[in-house]
Amino acid sequence: MSDPITMELEPSPPGLEAEYRTIFTAGSLVFLQELVSTFDEEVDKILRLRISRKTHLDLSGDLPGFCEVTAPVRSDPTWRVRPVPQRLQRRHVDVGDLAPCDTQRFIQALSSPAQGLQIDFDDGNCPTYHNQIKGIYNVYRAVHNQFPNAPKISQAPVLMLRPRAWNMVEHNMMVKGKEVPGPLCDFGFLMFHCGKLLFDSESGPFFYLSKVESYLEARLWNNIFLWTEQKLGLPVGSIKATVLIENVLSAFEMEEILYELKDHSAGLNCGIWDYSASFVNKFGHRGAFLLPDRSKYVNMEKLFLRSYMDLLVQTCHRRGALATGGMAALLLPQDRDSAPYRAALANVTRLKLLEIKAGVDGFMVYDLGLIEPMQKLFKLHSQGDNQMHQLRDDLTVTPDDLLCMPAGGVTLYGLKYNIAVGILFIDAWLKGKGHFFYRGQVEDSATAEISRSQVWQWIRHQTQLEDDSRVVTRGLVTELTQEVMGELKVVTRCHTVRT
């Protein structure tokens, strides 16, 4: 009887044969197979736990709170996360949503004055086989100093590598008859090919961890890091990771998440749209959690989002960790002398100043033209490399603060905007693009998800429009979808051209 086949791999996409051979080496495939075999069952347990928690919330009607079981972690004042390396001490402005398969933008960002780059295999990236291979290969080239027009990796902005979230699957690779978890695929190849070089150049390996919902998920990532460091001969704590707190459940477990990753933590990050969408995902069928029009009533000044940001800053700084804010998605008009340019810059400045004054140590921008103005804003309104001295001891955030939905209704503009984002995201996704531009902003899977979930929720609760009291029904959404599609025909380039 022949030995069972342990790994199946699809051949290279057309035109990527050289990149495929570089990434899919015998050594990397053995490493990935061992990584997946070791942790695949734990990934499945995490996904089942998510379903179990959601089912419990639905059946019981309970709301999340601070966990009694882990109270000793929160009440122990003595523990701290391990200090981050020098290159992570100053994280004022990172570039976000940087899909590494976009070679031209990747090289531009490498040459930018940003402190870091969110190398995004998740929200801002469409994970086709072509895009994943091209993206990993471009990271490989950057780390190996193979881009002739880019600085050496030790002098470029630090790469904050963002693998796919736990729910994503790599369909082109199977281990022991089962498709490989997307994040293990991304993380495994990146670490095997780049981890040691990044560490030796004092430039990594650094990661963003998406969609983490509990401290048990952070514990799994920590075990993966420890296993990987041992396999690759790296010291414990070499890998550093920033966890994106983009789920309402994880907001109640921020200290526990830091504790689980304390040797590997690069802090926590807060963002607006995935976090807001998680309320609809977890509680959307409850009338008390109707999320109003995001284009009019949802921003970081609202209590539930401001409380979440304040608690994140307080938690991180109490434990010696960095606290970073979300991404400025606004695109600056090309004419710097124009009134629209000044208005756009003023809008970003106002919102980001709110985050700086809340004590964040940095945030992200999409437009490379925002890097220097935002760095100047940090210099003007803060002192030193970071704001970890801002302990926010005067602050008390309660579960009610975190779960307080903002007041407001639904506008026709907001409904049509959400429909448009949903349509354009599907169009971009089918074309292999993970983000697009619409009405002066970059949109990605996070904004597509909040758009989709809001339309569903408004139909579910038969919400009335503020404009004319029409009820949001499936029929109305179908009618408006046809109308929006007609309007979009005149801006069909919006997914590739800044408009």
Side-chain angles (χ1 to χ4, degrees):
M1 184 175 179
S2 61
D3 292 333
I5 297 172
T6 57
M7 176 176 278
E8 292 183 70
L9 190 62
E10 290 296 311
S12 170
L16 286 183
E17 290 79 10
E19 292 88 339
Y20 185 93
R21 287 193 299 270
T22 300
I23 301 304
F24 293 96
T25 62
S28 70
L29 293 176
V30 169
F31 176 80
L32 195 69
Q33 179 184 308
E34 292 181 0
L35 175 67
V36 172
S37 298
T38 303
F39 293 105
D40 187 54
E41 287 188 13
E42 295 300 314
V43 175
D44 283 347
K45 286 180 184 178
I46 274 178
L47 296 175
R48 288 196 295 268
L49 180 60
R50 287 183 176 183
I51 296 170
S52 175
R53 293 181 81 188
K54 176 67 165 72
T55 301
H56 169 77
L57 290 169
D58 288 346
L59 291 176
S60 67
D62 289 347
L63 291 172
F66 297 106
C67 181
E68 292 183 13
V69 174
T70 56
V73 171
R74 297 193 302 277
S75 61
D76 180 356
T78 62
W79 66 268
R80 299 286 187 276
V81 303
R82 183 183 291 196
V84 295
Q86 184 61 40
R87 294 205 71 198
L88 286 182
Q89 290 286 336
R90 187 181 183 90
R91 290 282 304 286
H92 288 173
V93 183
D94 283 3
V95 176
D97 264 12
L98 185 59
C101 57
D102 184 344
T103 306
Q104 182 179 359
R105 178 168 164 81
F106 185 39
I107 293 174
Q108 287 176 340
L110 284 169
S111 303
S112 78
Q115 273 81 36
L117 310 178
Q118 183 194 65
I119 307 302
D120 196 1
F121 291 90
D122 193 55
D123 277 356
N125 173 65
C126 180
T128 64
Y129 202 28
H130 180 283
N131 286 351
Q132 296 307 103
I133 293 171
K134 185 70 173 178
I136 293 169
Y137 178 72
N138 277 344
V139 174
Y140 175 97
R141 290 189 69 191
V143 173
H144 287 77
N145 300 316
Q146 292 180 1
F147 284 123
N149 297 320
K152 291 182 177 181
I153 197 64
S154 59
Q155 298 164 350
V158 293
L159 306 186
M160 303 297 298
L161 306 166
R162 185 187 191 188
R164 282 169 281 186
W166 287 125
N167 62 303
M168 301 292 282
V169 175
E170 180 48 66
H171 300 292
N172 298 284
M173 182 182 297
M174 300 182 78
V175 170
K176 296 181 180 178
K178 185 171 178 289
E179 290 177 331
V180 170
L184 294 186
C185 176
D186 303 338
F187 173 81
F189 280 127
L190 290 166
M191 279 302 301
F192 182 86
H193 288 295
C194 304
K196 187 71 164 58
L197 272 174
L198 284 168
F199 180 75
D200 290 343
S201 65
E202 299 181 348
S203 300
F206 306 139
F207 289 87
Y208 271 112
L209 303 180
S210 298
K211 314 295 188 295
V212 171
E213 292 194 15
S214 78
Y215 72 92
L216 295 176
E217 298 183 18
R219 180 180 297 173
L220 173 56
W221 269 118
N222 195 67
N223 289 338
I224 290 169
F225 294 163
L226 289 169
W227 183 92
T228 302
E229 287 165 343
Q230 190 274 327
K231 280 285 182 180
L232 298 180
L234 293 169
V236 171
S238 301
I239 299 170
K240 297 295 182 185
T242 299
V243 175
L244 288 89
I245 303 297
E246 46 196 352
N247 188 282
V248 60
L249 301 185
S250 61
F252 288 89
E253 301 183 16
M254 288 193 276
E255 286 201 82
E256 293 90 330
I257 288 169
L258 285 176
Y259 181 81
E260 295 294 341
L261 284 161
K262 59 180 179 292
D263 284 339
H264 296 104
S265 179
L268 304 177
N269 172 272
C270 60
I272 183 170
W273 296 130
D274 269 319
Y275 185 74
S276 297
S278 76
F279 280 77
V280 183
N281 177 268
K282 301 302 181 188
F283 316 119
H285 60 289
R286 309 187 197 189
F289 284 90
L290 184 72
L291 190 67
D293 190 335
R294 72 182 180 100
S295 64
K296 184 176 181 180
Y297 296 113
V298 181
N299 56 58
M300 292 304 292
E301 293 170 295
K302 301 302 180 183
L303 178 63
F304 83 116
L305 291 173
R306 180 61 189 258
S307 299
Y308 145 71
M309 178 172 62
D310 285 343
L311 181 61
L312 186 143
V313 170
Q314 182 191 58
T315 300
C316 285
H317 291 178
R318 178 192 297 145
R319 301 302 183 179
L322 294 168
T324 50
M327 187 176 74
L330 205 63
L331 302 171
L332 294 174
Q334 300 295 327
D335 183 0
R336 294 193 172 198
D337 296 323
S338 67
Y341 178 93
R342 291 191 294 273
L345 183 58
N347 187 34
V348 175
T349 298
R350 182 182 69 83
L351 292 173
K352 288 306 173 185
L353 184 56
L354 182 75
E355 295 184 27
I356 293 172
K357 289 184 175 180
V360 302
D361 302 296
F363 46 67
M364 288 177 280
V365 300
Y366 179 84
D367 194 321
L368 302 186
L370 279 170
I371 297 171
E372 292 188 78
M374 293 302 103
Q375 287 174 334
K376 290 178 182 176
L377 192 69
F378 254 105
K379 188 174 182 180
L380 190 62
H381 294 280
S382 68
Q383 295 180 342
D385 288 343
N386 53 62
Q387 299 198 87
M388 282 200 281
H389 59 281
Q390 299 272 13
L391 297 179
R392 304 297 306 274
D393 288 335
D394 58 320
L395 185 69
T396 300
V397 174
T398 68
D400 286 344
D401 295 332
L402 293 171
L403 296 171
C404 178
M405 288 292 92
V410 179
T411 68
L412 180 61
Y413 174 88
L415 178 56
K416 291 178 68 174
Y417 191 97
N418 280 347
I419 290 170
V421 170
I423 292 169
L424 290 169
F425 180 76
I426 293 169
D427 178 66
W429 192 261
L430 293 175
K431 292 174 180 176
K433 296 182 180 295
H435 60 275
F436 60 93
F437 308 124
Y438 181 57
R439 296 194 176 181
Q441 294 205 121
V442 61
E443 308 278 358
D444 61 10
S445 64
T447 54
E449 175 57 16
I450 185 64
S451 298
R452 181 208 64 79
S453 62
Q454 282 207 299
V455 174
W456 169 84
Q457 192 185 35
W458 295 340
I459 294 172
R460 171 66 179 79
H461 293 289
Q462 297 185 304
T463 312
Q464 285 189 327
L465 293 177
E466 291 181 347
D467 307 71
D468 51 24
S469 297
R470 279 184 292 174
V471 173
V472 181
T473 63
R474 183 164 63 180
L476 177 61
V477 170
T478 300
E479 176 187 327
L480 291 175
T481 298
Q482 297 303 315
E483 182 182 324
V484 169
M485 289 180 71
E487 294 170 357
L488 290 175
K489 286 180 180 178
V490 301
V491 288
T492 52
R493 296 184 303 147
C494 64
H495 59 283
T496 55
V497 176
R498 291 168 56 150
T499 56

